[in-house]
């Protein structure tokens, strides 16, 4: 028997004698033999030997697969294994920290991603004139759905549908009878829901009009208010007035936008109600909290239907002064009794009153509650029409701490009756130099309430105007038909010729309707000016529009780079679009006058002597190389010149006051990404 002081090691010896590491390999004697579950005869014979510890330590044991913990621990203290493990451990830790730091740095340095409302032009549709599917002569919601492929064809991703609310339509949908219903002329609520679903299925967005200032006098709220029913009694602005022998003596001299007194006597209530527009459009009383909450409920209702945003119109009229003083006359010597036109008064007490912006901000707050989901930001634009006071317009952007509109719609280009290079420059400069820092501009040259571009300033300028809109920084708005250069209808029976039907092809009614009659005549030029005809023409207005929208979406300097004015005179307005970190520069040269030659080298020191025509409104000039010392342009021609330089214009001292950027970003060619801090 071995004593306690003699330590021993138990080893398994096979029949082949000697110490063997069987690991996971079966003994040779077991190969081909079937194991017997009840007998040990088939197993190799082993015996247990007791060997002195000193002898066992000298045996050449090596690491092997499946070794027990006791054997593994014999090797772990050896340097060659410990150091390797430590090096690998710290490499993994360091790599993880680098990845985390890089991720944080990229997030911190990355510029703000542009929203969907910034990424694409907005295509404005007047539904009654877009497409008729039931042959009643009026466009409808199903017609818009049928033509969604055309909107995609334009590389446009946002649709603006003007008023489709239930209305008498005497004012083209702006005197609303029910904020929560679709007018039967356009279809049903189910049609609207199907349209929104189809728009979203194609990856598009949809915004719609919201007119909170007034309703129709047929609205249920007004009927209850004129009868002084409970809370509705003060839903509108009522005031005592004198009515004698069919003549009303109003409380003051306030005049409606459409002319004549803004007070209308109501026989049921025996008072006058206030209206900023038509007498059938009474103004809501936004000093009543219940009225404001009603409009918030309307916003929630349509956002719940899937609408992606609103264009909120007539916002400057939301509040009026409570003191009811007469507004100042423009001509103080004019007899007060002869004042009937809106332009004859200064509207100090009926527009942009204290508290109005608080109401607009509350609309924004309600919409933000629906913007929490990724990709579901809800857009809000405002229509204020403060053409004579751009600073008032800029107030709708909000403050650095409190947001209002994403942008106020910019209709300043529509006020221009005579076009010139200097005139376009002044309008663009007016907006850009007054816009708050970091905000996003908007541009529009047409809408349902203004003559079309081709009719207002000449069809020879439609292409150059489209090039202007789609190469300026910001979001352009295109009124339906401007992509093919439509003109107002020439019919003498058309009260609103700018609302003539969309010209789809050369068939009956320009493909707008198969009905025997339509609500407004089409322009007689539709056999030549229509979508189908221009799709097959390389040099058409439609083809140019598509190329412009594609360049805007794919060229970073135009999409979100700097804009610097480099030239303007009677005929030409020119500017560059460039991005920090990119040597690629686009110079846009637009002719709004007569044929001329412009020396751009004299204006921009260091500009290359030659540039390539990336795109021209005259297709034969695209791809040509031009001398920048003598850039020739025809009347109404626009050029996008492309060149490379390491000296960007916005870094030149002479152009510091002529350069603007909305969402600043810089390009890293090493990592092929944008970053915010240049």
């Amino acid at each position: 028997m071995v004593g306690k002081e003699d330590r021993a090691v138990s080893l398994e010896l096979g029949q082949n004698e000697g110490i063997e590491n069987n690991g996971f390999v079966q003994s040779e004697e077991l190969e081909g033999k079937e194991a017997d579950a009840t007998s040990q005869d088939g197993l190799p014979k082993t015996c247990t030997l007791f060997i002195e510890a000193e002898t066992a330590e000298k045996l050449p044991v090596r690491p092997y697969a499946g070794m027990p913990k006791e054997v593994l621990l014999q090797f772990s203290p050896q340097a060659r294994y410990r150091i390797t493990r430590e090096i690998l451990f710290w490499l993994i830790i360091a790599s993880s920290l680098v990845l985390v730091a890089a991720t944080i740095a990229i997030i911190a340095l990355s510029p703000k991603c542009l929203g969907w409302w910034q990424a694409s032009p907005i295509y404005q549709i007047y539904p009654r004139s877009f497409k008729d599917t039931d042959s009643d002569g009026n466009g409808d919601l199903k017609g818009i759905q049928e033509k969604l492929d055309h909107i995609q064809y334009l590389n446009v991703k946002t649709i603006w549908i003007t008023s489709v609310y239930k209305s008498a339509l005497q004012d083209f949908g702006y005197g609303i009878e029910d904020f929560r219903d679709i007018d039967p002329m356009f279809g049903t609520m189910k049609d609207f829901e199907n349209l929104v679903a189809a728009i979203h299925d194609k990856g598009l967005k949809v915004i719609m009009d919201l007119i909170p200032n007034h309703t129709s006098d047929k609205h249920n709220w007004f009927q209850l208010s004129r009868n002084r029913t409970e809370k509705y009694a003060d839903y509108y602005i009522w005031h005592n007035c004198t009515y004698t022998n069919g003549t009303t003596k109003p409380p003051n001299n306030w005049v409606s936008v459409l002319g004549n007194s803004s007070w209308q006597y109501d026989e049921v209530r025996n008072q006058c109600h206030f209206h900023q527009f038509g007498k059938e459009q009474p103004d809501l009383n936004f000093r009543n909290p219940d009225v404001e909450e009603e409009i918030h409920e309307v916003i929630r209702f349509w956002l719940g239907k899937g609408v992606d945003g609103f264009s909120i119109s007539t916002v400057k009229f939301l509040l009026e002064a409570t003191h009811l003083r007469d507004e100042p006359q423009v001509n103080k010597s004019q007899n007060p009794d002869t004042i009937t036109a809106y332009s004859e008064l200064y509207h100090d007490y009926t527009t942009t009153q204290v508290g109005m912006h608080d109401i607009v901000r509350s609309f924004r707050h309600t919409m933000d509650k629906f913007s929490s989901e990724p990709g579901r930001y809800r857009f809000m634009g405002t229509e204020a029409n403060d053409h004579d006071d751009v600073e008032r317009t800029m107030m709708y952007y909000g403050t650095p701490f409190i947001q209002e509109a994403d942008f106020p719609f910019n209709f300043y280009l529509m006020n221009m009756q005579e076009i010139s290079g200097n005139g376009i420059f002044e309008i663009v400069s007016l907006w850009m130099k007054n816009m708050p820092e970091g905000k996003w501009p908007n541009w529009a040259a047409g809408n349902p309430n203004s003559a079309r571009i081709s009719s207002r300033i000449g069809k020879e300028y439609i292409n150059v105007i489209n090039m202007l809109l789609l190469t300026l920084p910001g979001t352009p708005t295109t009124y339906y038909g401007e992509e093919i250069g439509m003109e107002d209808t020439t019919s003498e029976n058309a009260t609103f010729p700018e609302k003539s039907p969309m010209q789809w092809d050369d068939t009956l009614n320009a493909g707008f309707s198969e009905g025997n009659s339509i609500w407004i005549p089409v322009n007689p030029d539709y056999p030549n000016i229509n979508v189908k005809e221009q799709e097959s023409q390389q040099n058409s207005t439609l083809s140019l529009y598509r190329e412009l929208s594609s360049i805007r979406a794919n060229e970073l300097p135009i999409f979100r780079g700097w804009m610097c004015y480099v030239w303007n005179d009677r005929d030409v307005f020119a500017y560059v679009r460039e991005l920090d970190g990119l040597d690629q520069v686009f110079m846009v040269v637009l002719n709004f006058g007569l044929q001329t030659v412009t020396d751009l080298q004299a204006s921009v020191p260091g500009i290359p002597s030659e540039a390539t025509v990336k795109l021209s409104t005259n297709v034969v000039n695209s791809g040509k190389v031009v001398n920048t010392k003598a850039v020739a342009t025809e009347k109404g021609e626009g050029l996008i010149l492309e060149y490379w330089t390491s000296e960007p214009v916005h870094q030149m001292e002479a152009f510091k006051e002529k350069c603007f950027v909305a969402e600043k970003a810089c390009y890293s060619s090493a990592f092929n990404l944008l970053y915010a801090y240049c």
Side-chain angles (χ1 to χ4, degrees), residues 348-541:
D348 297 341
Y349 306 140
T350 54
T351 61
T352 319
Q353 297 299 291
V354 175
M356 180 271 292
H357 282 281
D358 293 331
I359 296 173
V360 178
R361 292 181 195 120
S362 71
F363 294 159
R364 171 81 268 171
H365 180 68
T366 295
M367 295 178 68
D368 284 344
K369 293 180 179 178
F370 286 79
S371 301
S372 58
E373 299 177 24
R376 292 308 308 273
Y377 179 81
R378 307 307 175 99
F379 165 83
M380 190 178 92
T382 55
E383 295 182 63
N385 300 321
D386 283 312
H387 301 307
D388 298 328
D389 192 343
V390 69
E391 292 182 357
R392 284 192 176 187
T393 300
M394 295 301 156
M395 291 176 66
Y396 292 98
Y397 277 112
T399 69
F401 306 103
I402 303 176
Q403 183 183 5
E404 287 188 35
D406 291 295
F407 53 68
F409 283 97
N410 175 4
F411 299 130
Y412 281 73
L413 286 170
M414 290 187 294
N415 296 332
M416 183 176 55
Q417 299 300 321
E418 295 184 5
I419 195 167
S420 68
N422 286 331
I424 294 291
F425 161 74
E426 289 171 1
I427 291 174
V428 172
S429 178
L430 176 69
W431 190 276
M432 296 304 292
K433 71 183 181 182
N434 284 283
M435 185 179 68
E437 184 178 357
K439 297 300 183 179
W440 190 257
N442 166 260
W443 311 96
N447 73 5
N449 303 312
S450 174
R452 290 185 175 276
I453 297 170
S454 295
S455 299
R456 188 170 71 248
I457 59 177
K459 58 185 177 181
E460 64 270 28
Y461 294 111
I462 180 64
N463 287 336
V464 73
I465 286 290
N466 281 339
M467 183 172 281
L468 171 75
L469 295 178
L470 274 77
T471 57
L472 286 172
T475 299
T477 301
T478 297
Y479 181 46
Y480 81 95
E482 305 288 18
E483 75 273 24
I484 60 172
M486 277 177 55
E487 297 182 66
D488 296 347
T489 184
T490 57
S491 172
E492 295 180 356
N493 298 324
T495 307
F496 298 94
E498 66 277 359
K499 295 179 173 69
S500 59
M502 181 66 178
Q503 296 166 199
W504 296 106
D505 53 42
D506 60 358
T507 62
L508 177 67
N509 298 324
F512 162 70
S513 173
E514 296 179 358
N516 294 325
S517 63
I518 54 178
W519 82 276
I520 186 173
V522 298
N523 193 304
D525 67 2
Y526 76 87
N528 299 316
I529 307 297
N530 64 71
V531 172
K532 185 176 180 180
E533 179 75 14
Q534 293 194 15
E535 283 178 342
S536 60
Q537 298 175 354
Q538 185 181 2
N539 63 339
S540 67
T541 298

Side-chain angles (χ1 to χ4, degrees), residues 254-263 275-278 340-342 347:
W254 295 356
V255 175
S256 79
V257 173
L258 303 180
N260 297 315
S261 175
S262 56
W263 296 96
H275 58 91
Q276 294 265 31
F277 295 91
T340 58
Y342 192 73
H347 303 284

